[in-house]
Amino acid sequence: MASLTPEIELQRAQIRVRFIEAQIERLTSDFCDISIDAITGDASFRSYFRVQTKLSKYILMDVPPEKGSVEAFIKLNHVFAEGGLAVPEVFAFDVDNGFVLLEDLGSVHLADIVAQQGGDQHYQALLTWLPKIAMLRSSRWMNAYDAAFITQEMEIFKVWLLGQWLGYSSASDFESQWQKLTTSLTESMLAQPQVVMHRDFHSRNVMYCASAGRLIDYQDAVVGPVCYDAVSLLKDCYIKLPSAQFQRLRKESYRQLSDAGLLREMNYEQYIEYFNFTGMQRHLKAAGIFARLYLRDGKPGYLPNILPTLEYVIEAAQMYPQFQWLATWLHSEIIPMIEAKLAESL
């Protein structure tokens, strides 16, 4: 993604400062000595700034209108809060210029807690959020996670990771195998009860402020397969849970969704299959996105997550005869090519 010219960057900074000053003056009498510091962004076109005065602090989300809109974030913030989910408070926004002034939640994510403490009790608490998210009222700001959407996401892996990054030349039968894979995963995902899903419910999108978990990055919520958010959380691209903990938490995710009446008459064995098939689609898509972030957006920091993400795909594919080819192909052909590319890139 092309960088903004210095002139446009300066112009953007001036508009940003004017918005911040106007809102701080409106919100508080503590108007002196405003500091505005850029902080690490996420895997998107959004930028974030920590805004501080002597007595207060905020986070500014900055989305240049030519790159996207903040409107879905604002509308879905209300939907999630209305449904009992803990989300950051929105203090002010400017849709035309792409600014949102938010509550500052600090810098502690679930990922940080897991790294230090293991996080089991936090996972247990987060699993109770699954039915709350699923039962949110649908909104026109939520797309349907339909066959076209699922197929488009599968293509991200082919186009960006295989084609653009690896320069992979596929065998003659690859396209038919890939099409069968896409069809199988799509049918499995559409056969599940369709509910509201956060779509990126993982360790970097749950923050802890005053020991309470808060959900962020919900602007891409859609209506899709019921087990998708459980997959996102428990087969996290950034954290691999120990096997025993994963097995226990997956069963708890089933119980939470089942007790809420969201699984119809689905038994646990069927849930596991849906979980595995959904995970294969999600992780192929995610691996492709990590390559795209590097090639298109100049963000190499996600490249190390590609191999563990594809290991999830291999683990799941090995369980099903119809997907043995996928596990073998990834392990014998694609993983060695990725390892060579990583050695060059990192």
Side-chain angles (χ1 to χ4, degrees):
M1 187 178 294
S3 301
L4 298 177
T5 66
E7 293 79 9
I8 294 176
E9 289 276 17
L10 177 59
Q11 193 176 64
R12 182 72 184 166
Q14 291 169 339
I15 298 171
R16 183 165 58 237
V17 169
R18 286 198 294 270
F19 172 79
I20 290 170
E21 289 179 343
Q23 299 310 319
I24 296 296
E25 187 173 21
R26 181 181 65 84
L27 291 166
T28 177
S29 59
D30 181 28
F31 184 69
C32 297
D33 299 322
I34 300 173
S35 67
I36 304 170
D37 300 300
I39 56 178
T40 303
D42 55 18
S44 75
F45 44 76
R46 295 178 288 272
S47 299
Y48 295 90
F49 298 83
R50 177 160 278 116
V51 179
Q52 297 186 79
T53 67
K54 287 183 178 179
L55 301 177
S56 57
K57 57 182 180 178
Y58 308 90
I59 295 295
L60 180 79
M61 178 194 294
D62 180 341
V63 181
E66 66 273 15
K67 292 186 178 181
S69 173
V70 298
E71 194 163 9
F73 180 92
I74 295 161
K75 299 294 185 182
L76 292 178
N77 177 275
H78 178 71
V79 171
F80 275 69
E82 180 185 67
L85 277 301
V87 292
E89 183 176 353
V90 173
F91 293 110
F93 56 85
D94 179 342
V95 171
D96 291 338
N97 285 309
F99 298 124
V100 184
L101 194 65
L102 295 160
E103 176 184 7
D104 186 350
L105 300 179
S107 58
V108 178
H109 296 77
L110 174 63
D112 303 311
I113 292 174
V114 172
Q116 295 174 6
Q117 306 171 16
D120 197 75
Q121 67 181 30
H122 294 88
Y123 278 106
Q124 293 283 352
L126 291 173
L127 290 176
T128 68
W129 293 13
L130 291 174
K132 290 182 180 180
I133 296 171
M135 293 189 291
L136 291 172
R137 65 175 174 86
S138 59
S139 161
R140 72 182 185 89
W141 300 99
M142 300 175 187
N143 291 321
Y145 203 65
D146 56 16
F149 203 141
I150 294 167
T151 300
Q152 180 183 22
E153 288 196 335
M154 291 285 286
E155 289 299 298
I156 294 171
F157 179 83
K158 272 182 61 183
V159 171
W160 287 97
L161 192 145
L162 294 184
Q164 297 292 324
W165 192 40
L166 297 183
Y168 177 74
S169 297
S170 58
S172 58
D173 62 344
F174 174 76
E175 284 301 328
S176 63
Q177 288 178 308
W178 185 263
Q179 184 55 52
K180 288 177 183 177
L181 172 67
T182 300
T183 299
S184 295
L185 299 185
T186 300
E187 288 176 350
S188 175
M189 295 171 82
L190 295 181
Q192 300 173 45
Q194 302 294 290
V195 301
V196 172
M197 56 188 233
H198 177 284
R199 196 167 159 227
D200 278 310
F201 186 40
H202 58 67
S203 61
R204 295 189 180 180
N205 285 334
V206 179
M207 300 193 70
Y208 286 85
C209 181
S211 300
R214 309 286 280 279
L215 191 58
I216 62 171
D217 208 19
Y218 39 77
Q219 65 281 335
D220 295 321
V222 295
V223 176
V226 68
C227 72
Y228 192 100
D229 281 344
V231 172
S232 300
L233 182 66
L234 301 180
K235 284 195 168 183
D236 192 329
C237 296
Y238 310 109
I239 292 174
K240 178 76 178 283
L241 293 174
S243 179
Q245 183 184 25
F246 167 74
Q247 299 286 345
R248 183 174 68 254
L249 292 173
R250 182 173 61 179
K251 195 157 192 177
E252 177 62 17
S253 75
Y254 171 80
R255 189 186 72 79
Q256 288 287 341
L257 293 168
S258 182
D259 287 354
L262 293 166
L263 299 181
R264 302 180 188 144
E265 299 301 316
M266 189 190 307
N267 61 36
Y268 187 52
E269 289 70 27
Q270 179 64 75
Y271 180 77
I272 290 175
E273 181 178 293
Y274 283 149
F275 193 102
N276 288 334
F277 284 25
T278 299
M280 281 191 277
Q281 188 273 346
R282 172 173 170 76
H283 294 122
L284 286 167
K285 180 269 303 264
I289 286 177
F290 294 149
R292 186 175 71 183
L293 284 166
Y294 170 57
L295 295 171
R296 188 192 70 182
D297 303 337
K299 296 181 178 181
Y302 293 90
L303 289 178
N305 302 113
I306 291 177
L307 288 178
T309 297
L310 290 181
E311 284 298 326
Y312 283 134
V313 181
I314 293 171
E315 288 172 6
Q318 287 172 335
M319 300 178 190
Y320 303 95
Q322 69 269 37
F323 299 134
Q324 285 296 320
W325 72 269
L326 176 63
T328 300
W329 172 70
L330 286 173
H331 180 74
S332 63
E333 290 191 52
I334 302 306
I335 297 297
M337 293 180 71
I338 291 173
E339 289 173 338
K341 276 288 185 181
L342 290 174
E344 296 173 7
S345 303
L346 298 178

